[in-house]
Amino acid sequence: MASSSYITDFGKLVVGSENHHGSSEFSRFNNAQNPSDEFRQRDVSYYNHLLFDYARDGLNQKALETYAFMNRSGVLADGSSLSCILKASTSLQDYDFGRQIHCHSVKNGFSVGTSLVDMHIKNGNLDDGKRVFDEISVKNVVTWTSLLKGYAVKRMTRKGLGLSCTSGMSREARCVFEGTDCRYAVSWNGMIAGLMMNGFDLDAFGLFYRMRVASVEFTETTFATALKLCSNFKELGFARQIHCQAVRRGFGSFDNVRTALMACYTKGREMDDAMKMFSLIGTVQSVVSWTAIIGGYMKNGQTLEATDMFLQMRREAVRPNHCTYSTILAALPANSLSQVHAEIIKTNYSNSPSVGTALLNTYIKMGKTDDAGKVFRQIEEKDIVAWSAMLVAYAQQDDTEGAVRFYGQLAKEGAWPNEFTFSTIINACETQSAATDQGKLFHASSIKSGYNNTLIVSSALVTMYAKKGDIESGDQVFKRQQERDLVSWNSMISGYAQHGYGEKALGVFKEMQKRDLEMDDITFIGVISACTHIGLVSEGEAYFDMMVNKLHISPTMEIYSCMVDTYSRAGMLDKAMALITGMSFPAGATVWRTLLVACRVHRNIEMGKFAAEKVISCKPHDSSAYVLLANLYAASGNWQDRSKVRKMMDDRKVRKETGYSWIEVKKKTYAFMASDVSHPLSDQIYRKLGELGVRLRDEGYQPDTNYVLHDIEEEQKESILSRHSERLAIAFGPISLPHGVPIRIIKNLRVCGDCHTVIKLISGIEDTEIIVRDSNRFHHFSKGLCSCGDYW
């Protein structure tokens, strides 16, 4: 680790140093008098002195307890009391208590405007902070600074930039700092915190080291910041050394020091140590400490422990704040969510952007989009995170139209999209219902906004282009990526495989091997599919063996389905069955359906019947199993058994899925089914089909009526084939599209073998590219050939 030299050197200095003044100071705080132990007739100045000491030294919970005792004792607080207690409640992030103090100050006419401005703004309520600011007749520099900082943070948050947009000023800040002759602890602390905030952790460590060498007296803030740096670097050993020094100098009992150390332990996955630190905080822990320990369990995947701590926190009457709710919501079971949601509404935290967004995400993960929408509308200050979360809801429902409309609303209301927003809307454009050019428009917007090269956006673009049939554009984005994650690599492999470019898919995989990159089961689904689609059986077996025996990746149901498909397409049905029977878990409907399709192609009635029974036992209302079995009987001329299967479907009320083909023309999508005459240009479409039919015959085409599974005359079978939905959509293409523009078709079922032959011929006759995405893969037809190499 680059920071090791700083950490090691500073560790030697810090362990060997002592501060006797700090030790006496620590003793004073440990021996601080509890007001209830004293004679009760004390005046307000006595309590103000205690409040000031507690607030100054970070003993914020003690300050609140003292204030509560004052009220019970009948001692009337004054402006000084309220200023101290406002500072303490702000540090504890107890906004409810802070607002109560605001009401009390207004009621009694105390002038604590600056403290109120600071309290509201630090709790994220800029509007109330501004209202208090406007009411102050004489404003000091602290008041102005609080308001300006509030506006700066709000603007940066709306632009999705966070505080990192200040990173460009780091050089200037350092110049000012280095040019200052007399530097106090506040200056050092501010500079260290600023560097850390902007991602310059190593520089912050270096400055921390220099601060110690310069014999600058460490403060509570110094120790808390240093522990946060240790947390970022996961330097637990050094964090323990710093903690020892904090204890020696009298700061070990401060909430923010202990909380920072807890965060360090949780980030290092040392939850037992974090819990010990939490237990040391005292009999009554602050809401900040509770939230930190709950968050620690959440970050380490221990949601049950996090939930238990949340329940214990409530039993001990510690009121959650917006951070607590934001942290715990993801862990709550469905039956507890409504109760906690009601509690959030009651405490008015539903208006908080962080809590609202957390609620939003929780409902979205549960699939409760309507409830998520209600939460979204209740958030007063909607930041880009909330907007992006709602976009996720639309994307999960494959509602591209709704997502695009919502994105337009986002832009109108002045929200600035960030990389997560773009990746989400681009993901929404992957669906079949999305217009082909819709994703390209958002690609252009991401370029304009400067987010197109971010990892999350570029990976989404690669996947979107691959799924929309534009593998060439996906390849261009992939090659431009400065950084690639596993999603990018997997998208290119599976994209090439699905488009019939098996060799290119394997080329990408071999590049992954050269770079010794991480792989997962999704990688091998793409690789084995590539082998399947180009007939490389032995290669598929070798990659399967590599995955299981070399990389120790457990085969999933989908992996087994790919291998069954590999054997089945090659006619190795016995090998496919042996693989299924040797699986480590029962085969599902997907695996058996894959075998059933192969039995239909190779007319293996006995194995096909067995596979169909297995599919039906897994999914009794899956129409594909009945249809495939009926077609298997029909292809073998067994019309009697075919009729029995059809009757079984009627008895069980199983309906065959209707075949549809879609074509997009001028951003409008047209749907066709077999023998469709509903289109306004139906006459022209059938004339075009007739014209193509003549030219196809001239090219030597002979209809393969084996794909018409009805006991009827040959002439009728040929007529049925000629009116398949994909042929109607393709005939509409030359009528409505300029010459040279590719014809793009989507079909919900698999393209039959006869249509596959016809489309190849039409691509040559019309001298046009035809791209068909069926339920199985993409087919790129051009100049009488198909990218699948006829392994359709």
Side-chain angles (χ1 to χ4, degrees), residues 265-271 295-303:
Y265 285 137
T266 57
K267 200 164 186 179
R269 308 186 73 84
E270 298 287 346
M271 285 308 300
Y297 280 122
M298 289 291 295
K299 289 173 185 174
N300 285 282
Q302 297 173 263
T303 54

Side-chain angles (χ1 to χ4, degrees), residues 289-440:
S289 305
W290 280 102
T291 302
I293 196 68
I294 291 169
Y297 280 122
M298 289 291 295
K299 289 173 185 174
N300 285 282
Q302 297 173 263
T303 54
L304 289 178
E305 289 83 352
T307 305
D308 287 342
M309 290 301 292
F310 178 68
L311 295 174
Q312 184 181 340
M313 171 186 177
R314 294 171 68 183
R315 283 194 297 270
E316 296 191 15
V318 178
R319 289 181 297 182
N321 61 16
H322 65 285
C323 291
T324 319
Y325 287 125
S326 301
T327 302
I328 195 59
L329 279 168
L332 293 176
N335 57 358
S336 300
L337 180 60
S338 58
Q339 180 183 348
V340 175
H341 189 176
E343 183 180 307
I344 288 170
I345 294 172
K346 185 178 179 181
T347 54
N348 206 31
Y349 279 124
S350 56
N351 295 328
S352 162
S354 61
V355 177
T357 304
L359 269 172
L360 204 61
N361 285 320
T362 305
Y363 280 121
I364 289 169
K365 287 176 183 176
M366 292 180 175
K368 297 183 177 181
T369 307
D370 291 340
D371 289 330
K374 292 175 184 175
V375 171
F376 177 79
R377 289 189 289 273
Q378 289 173 352
I379 301 174
E380 291 180 354
E381 292 283 337
K382 298 178 179 68
D383 59 13
I384 193 59
V385 179
W387 284 97
S388 300
M390 275 307 296
L391 271 179
V392 170
Y394 286 106
Q396 285 181 353
Q397 292 186 314
D398 291 340
D399 183 2
T400 305
E401 185 179 340
V404 172
R405 189 168 54 247
F406 188 78
Y407 183 89
Q409 182 184 347
L410 174 159
K412 285 180 183 176
E413 298 202 16
W416 291 74
N418 59 18
E419 60 262 44
F420 183 74
T421 318
F422 279 114
S423 70
T424 303
I425 191 64
I426 290 167
N427 287 335
C429 294
E430 295 174 4
T431 62
Q432 290 188 4
S433 60
T436 304
D437 292 333
Q438 194 69 69
K440 291 183 179 180

Side-chain angles (χ1 to χ4, degrees), residues 342-556:
E343 183 180 307
I344 288 170
I345 294 172
K346 185 178 179 181
T347 54
N348 206 31
Y349 279 124
S350 56
N351 295 328
S352 162
S354 61
V355 177
T357 304
L359 269 172
L360 204 61
N361 285 320
T362 305
Y363 280 121
I364 289 169
K365 287 176 183 176
M366 292 180 175
K368 297 183 177 181
T369 307
D370 291 340
D371 289 330
K374 292 175 184 175
V375 171
F376 177 79
R377 289 189 289 273
Q378 289 173 352
I379 301 174
E380 291 180 354
E381 292 283 337
K382 298 178 179 68
D383 59 13
I384 193 59
V385 179
W387 284 97
S388 300
M390 275 307 296
L391 271 179
V392 170
Y394 286 106
Q396 285 181 353
Q397 292 186 314
D398 291 340
D399 183 2
T400 305
E401 185 179 340
V404 172
R405 189 168 54 247
F406 188 78
Y407 183 89
Q409 182 184 347
L410 174 159
K412 285 180 183 176
E413 298 202 16
W416 291 74
N418 59 18
E419 60 262 44
F420 183 74
T421 318
F422 279 114
S423 70
T424 303
I425 191 64
I426 290 167
N427 287 335
C429 294
E430 295 174 4
T431 62
Q432 290 188 4
S433 60
T436 304
D437 292 333
Q438 194 69 69
K440 291 183 179 180
L441 292 175
F442 289 114
H443 186 180
S445 296
S446 71
I447 293 172
K448 185 178 179 181
S449 300
Y451 289 115
N452 59 304
N453 289 324
T454 61
L455 180 58
I456 190 173
V457 175
S458 58
S459 293
L461 285 167
V462 170
T463 305
M464 184 272 294
Y465 280 124
K467 289 186 176 181
K468 295 303 291 183
D470 191 354
I471 192 66
E472 293 80 10
S473 293
D475 180 57
Q476 290 174 12
V477 175
F478 180 75
K479 287 176 178 175
R480 285 199 302 267
Q481 281 188 298
Q482 298 174 351
E483 180 186 1
R484 296 170 185 155
D485 60 3
L486 187 57
V487 174
S488 301
W489 289 97
N490 287 348
S491 293
M492 283 310 302
I493 292 171
S494 61
Y496 276 134
Q498 288 295 309
H499 285 268
Y501 305 119
E503 295 294 346
K504 288 186 177 181
L506 296 180
V508 175
F509 177 72
K510 287 170 184 174
E511 182 64 26
M512 287 186 76
Q513 288 181 293
K514 283 181 185 177
R515 300 188 184 194
D516 196 26
L517 298 176
E518 175 194 2
M519 300 172 186
D520 62 5
D521 59 305
I522 306 299
T523 313
F524 283 93
I525 289 172
V527 169
I528 296 173
S529 294
C531 295
T532 301
H533 291 317
I534 55 178
L536 301 178
V537 178
S538 58
E539 287 84 349
E541 289 178 319
Y543 287 128
F544 182 82
D545 181 71
M546 176 197 297
M547 180 191 77
V548 176
N549 297 318
K550 184 179 179 182
L551 300 179
H552 306 292
I553 299 173
S554 299
T556 61

Side-chain angles (χ1 to χ4, degrees), residues 675-705:
S675 303
D676 202 336
V677 292
S678 62
H679 195 280
L681 300 179
S682 185
D683 290 343
Q684 293 183 47
I685 291 169
Y686 278 96
R687 273 199 301 273
K688 184 65 179 179
L689 275 179
E691 174 197 322
L692 289 171
V694 173
R695 297 170 69 185
L696 286 167
R697 297 276 183 180
D698 292 342
E699 293 290 325
Y701 163 68
Q702 291 293 325
D704 187 349
T705 56

Side-chain angles (χ1 to χ4, degrees), residues 441-744:
L441 292 175
F442 289 114
H443 186 180
S445 296
S446 71
I447 293 172
K448 185 178 179 181
S449 300
Y451 289 115
N452 59 304
N453 289 324
T454 61
L455 180 58
I456 190 173
V457 175
S458 58
S459 293
L461 285 167
V462 170
T463 305
M464 184 272 294
Y465 280 124
K467 289 186 176 181
K468 295 303 291 183
D470 191 354
I471 192 66
E472 293 80 10
S473 293
D475 180 57
Q476 290 174 12
V477 175
F478 180 75
K479 287 176 178 175
R480 285 199 302 267
Q481 281 188 298
Q482 298 174 351
E483 180 186 1
R484 296 170 185 155
D485 60 3
L486 187 57
V487 174
S488 301
W489 289 97
N490 287 348
S491 293
M492 283 310 302
I493 292 171
S494 61
Y496 276 134
Q498 288 295 309
H499 285 268
Y501 305 119
E503 295 294 346
K504 288 186 177 181
L506 296 180
V508 175
F509 177 72
K510 287 170 184 174
E511 182 64 26
M512 287 186 76
Q513 288 181 293
K514 283 181 185 177
R515 300 188 184 194
D516 196 26
L517 298 176
E518 175 194 2
M519 300 172 186
D520 62 5
D521 59 305
I522 306 299
T523 313
F524 283 93
I525 289 172
V527 169
I528 296 173
S529 294
C531 295
T532 301
H533 291 317
I534 55 178
L536 301 178
V537 178
S538 58
E539 287 84 349
E541 289 178 319
Y543 287 128
F544 182 82
D545 181 71
M546 176 197 297
M547 180 191 77
V548 176
N549 297 318
K550 184 179 179 182
L551 300 179
H552 306 292
I553 299 173
S554 299
T556 61
M557 191 74 76
E558 194 167 357
I559 288 283
Y560 278 118
S561 182
C562 289
M563 282 304 300
V564 169
D565 197 23
T566 301
Y567 288 132
S568 298
R569 285 171 182 267
M572 302 177 180
L573 298 184
D574 290 337
K575 269 200 165 185
M577 179 60 81
L579 181 68
I580 293 172
T581 55
M583 287 170 56
S584 57
F585 47 82
T590 303
V591 173
W592 289 114
R593 191 185 299 109
T594 303
L595 181 63
L596 177 55
V597 170
C599 292
R600 152 75 181 84
V601 173
H602 298 287
R603 301 189 182 182
N604 188 324
I605 294 178
E606 290 305 314
M607 191 179 290
K609 184 179 178 181
F610 180 76
E613 288 172 355
K614 291 291 187 179
V615 177
I616 292 169
S617 67
C618 295
K619 293 188 174 182
H621 288 85
D622 183 356
S623 65
S624 65
Y626 298 93
V627 172
L628 286 167
L629 182 59
N631 291 350
L632 175 56
Y633 285 133
S636 305
N638 190 341
W639 299 106
Q640 186 176 358
D641 283 341
R642 176 187 181 278
S643 298
K644 288 180 181 178
V645 175
R646 288 293 186 179
K647 185 177 185 304
M648 190 190 305
M649 290 180 69
D650 292 337
D651 293 342
R652 297 180 181 180
K653 297 181 179 179
V654 177
R655 295 286 176 262
K656 178 186 175 183
E657 184 179 4
T658 303
Y660 284 94
S661 293
W662 293 269
I663 180 172
E664 183 187 330
V665 176
K666 296 178 182 178
K667 297 184 180 180
K668 186 175 180 181
T669 303
Y670 299 88
F672 295 88
M673 59 182 181
S675 303
D676 202 336
V677 292
S678 62
H679 195 280
L681 300 179
S682 185
D683 290 343
Q684 293 183 47
I685 291 169
Y686 278 96
R687 273 199 301 273
K688 184 65 179 179
L689 275 179
E691 174 197 322
L692 289 171
V694 173
R695 297 170 69 185
L696 286 167
R697 297 276 183 180
D698 292 342
E699 293 290 325
Y701 163 68
Q702 291 293 325
D704 187 349
T705 56
N706 287 319
Y707 292 98
V708 180
L709 303 171
H710 299 280
D711 190 13
I712 55 177
E713 298 295 326
E714 284 295 305
E715 187 177 333
Q716 290 176 287
K717 290 182 178 181
E718 291 180 16
S719 177
I720 289 173
L721 281 174
S722 69
R723 298 196 302 270
H724 274 188
S725 65
E726 56 266 51
R727 300 197 196 187
L728 294 173
I730 288 170
F732 179 57
I735 295 171
S736 54
L737 293 170
H739 182 71
V741 175
I743 299 172
R744 298 177 183 271

